[in-house]
Amino acid sequence: MRASPLRGAAVSGRRAWAELLRLPALFTVPGDALSGAVAAGGRLNPRTLLAIGSSLCLYEAGMALNDWADRAEDAVERPHRPLPSGRIRPSSALTAACVLTAAGLGLAARAGRPALAVAAPLAATVWAYDLALKHTPAGPVAMAAARGLDHLLGAATTGRPQQALPSAALLGTHTLAVTTVSRRETQGGTSLPPLAALAATATLTGLVARGARGTRRAGSTGAGKRTATATGTGNGTGMGTATGIGTGIATRAGTAIAAGRRTLAPDRPGLTLDMALRTALAIAYAATAGRRYTHAVFNPSPPLTQRAVGGGVRATIPLQAALAARAGSALTAVAIAALAPLGRKYAKKVSVT
């Protein structure tokens, strides 16, 4: 029995919208708010879920608006895209962008004033990028700012978004590198952008694997000179010792007075597992982005450059997971990392670029 023409048209229409919105890239979005919330030292709560919903809406608004703004350029360079191919009308894409933006801001408002205070400039940055900044030198910076703000949107649901600024800067740097490479994805021709992205990836991998200063598990309460005491409890965890990098004096009683960065001795199994998870996720990030970037360095053709961009987009997930592990939240890190195989599965059906 042959499928009816109406059913075939419906399937074709759904696929066109999936391509317009680049649905596989959606799996890179929840980790922004999740890692931001734990980086701010808070616990996940219903407001965090609202922030994730807001992020998803604003992200997809940007996707629809991007194709609407680039419809003339895509007619020449990407005639297969939904708008130039006639599968979706430009007015429909613009309407979708407006509705999704309104929905994103509405969800942020439900999450509270701090979340809305972050979502509003995030939405403005998305629209400014698509309509004015994309083809200017400020384009990659605007995209980096949008990703950082999305991270802070999750942090705002805990009431302490300023604590997530360092991790937002790391996410923004990664996005800056990916966006810089994407500017040449239809022309190719130069190895410099993927080479710079490869260097940025190596730097970020080292920073994430090293761990954050003063995470909750480290028990840090201030900057500069710190005093930390780790003692055993009745459940058999033993006694931990804190040692200082820089100048410091340690006593046998398990108390350390140190100036500079502290690390905890690896005699606590929980901390050892946290470090192993963080390192594994940092390596996964480096492998996901670095392999494609390396190919584009040696052969900066449009197909390999597009694959480099796709690899950079997918690498966002292990980076987010590594940042959550860096903040001391292993469960959140694992939850974010679980999104990666789903993204890879659907990326085989719909391109993320």
Side-chain angles (χ1 to χ4, degrees):
M1 181 182 295
R2 292 186 299 177
S4 68
L6 289 178
R7 182 176 181 182
V11 171
S12 178
R14 288 196 297 268
R15 180 173 181 84
W17 279 99
E19 292 179 21
L20 176 73
L21 300 176
R22 295 172 175 86
L23 288 185
L26 266 184
F27 293 100
T28 70
V29 179
D32 283 344
L34 289 171
S35 59
V38 297
R43 293 185 177 182
L44 304 183
N45 55 62
R47 292 189 301 275
T48 308
L49 296 179
L50 289 170
I52 292 173
S54 175
S55 295
L56 291 169
C57 289
L58 294 177
Y59 188 87
E60 291 294 46
M63 291 297 184
L65 186 63
N66 175 78
D67 274 33
W68 180 84
D70 287 352
R71 62 193 184 280
E73 178 183 329
D74 286 344
V76 177
E77 298 181 347
R78 294 180 170 185
H80 61 280
R81 292 293 298 163
L83 266 61
S85 66
R87 290 178 292 158
I88 295 177
R89 292 180 298 176
S91 59
S92 298
L94 181 60
T95 300
C98 294
V99 170
L100 287 166
T101 299
L105 292 175
L107 288 170
R110 290 288 303 275
R113 288 185 180 180
L116 182 60
V118 176
L122 171 57
T125 302
V126 169
W127 279 73
Y129 172 81
D130 284 333
L131 298 181
L133 301 178
K134 182 176 182 179
H135 299 292
T136 72
V141 177
M143 277 295 289
R147 181 66 77 170
L149 285 169
D150 204 32
H151 185 71
L152 294 177
L153 179 56
T157 64
T158 69
R160 297 181 293 273
Q162 66 278 4
Q163 294 186 22
L165 287 173
S167 54
L170 296 179
L171 263 179
T173 300
H174 166 71
T175 305
L176 177 68
V178 177
T179 309
T180 301
V181 175
S182 73
R183 291 164 75 88
R184 304 287 303 182
E185 64 180 333
T186 58
Q187 297 92 12
T190 176
S191 298
L192 186 58
L195 183 61
L198 190 60
T201 300
T203 302
L204 290 173
T205 300
L207 291 172
V208 172
R210 188 182 305 165
R213 179 178 299 185
T215 61
R216 289 192 311 254
R217 291 186 183 275
S220 175
T221 58
K225 180 176 290 187
R226 297 178 177 86
T227 301
T229 304
T231 58
T233 62
N235 59 13
T237 58
M239 179 175 292
T241 341
T243 60
I245 297 177
T247 60
I249 301 174
T251 70
R252 293 184 179 179
T255 303
I257 302 174
R261 179 175 293 184
R262 286 188 301 104
T263 60
L264 293 180
D267 58 345
R268 292 175 63 181
L271 290 176
T272 302
L273 291 175
D274 283 349
M275 288 187 288
L277 177 62
R278 186 177 66 239
T279 302
L281 290 169
I283 292 173
Y285 162 66
T288 304
R291 184 165 63 93
R292 298 294 191 183
Y293 287 154
T294 302
H295 292 166
V297 168
F298 289 104
N299 181 8
S301 62
L304 289 184
T305 302
Q306 290 172 14
R307 292 177 187 173
V309 174
V313 171
R314 289 190 296 273
T316 305
I317 296 176
L319 177 58
Q320 294 163 338
L323 290 173
R326 182 175 183 258
S329 182
L331 289 178
T332 303
V334 171
I336 295 172
L339 297 172
L342 294 174
R344 284 196 302 270
K345 175 183 177 181
Y346 289 102
K348 295 177 181 178
K349 301 178 181 180
V350 178
S351 174
V352 298
T353 64

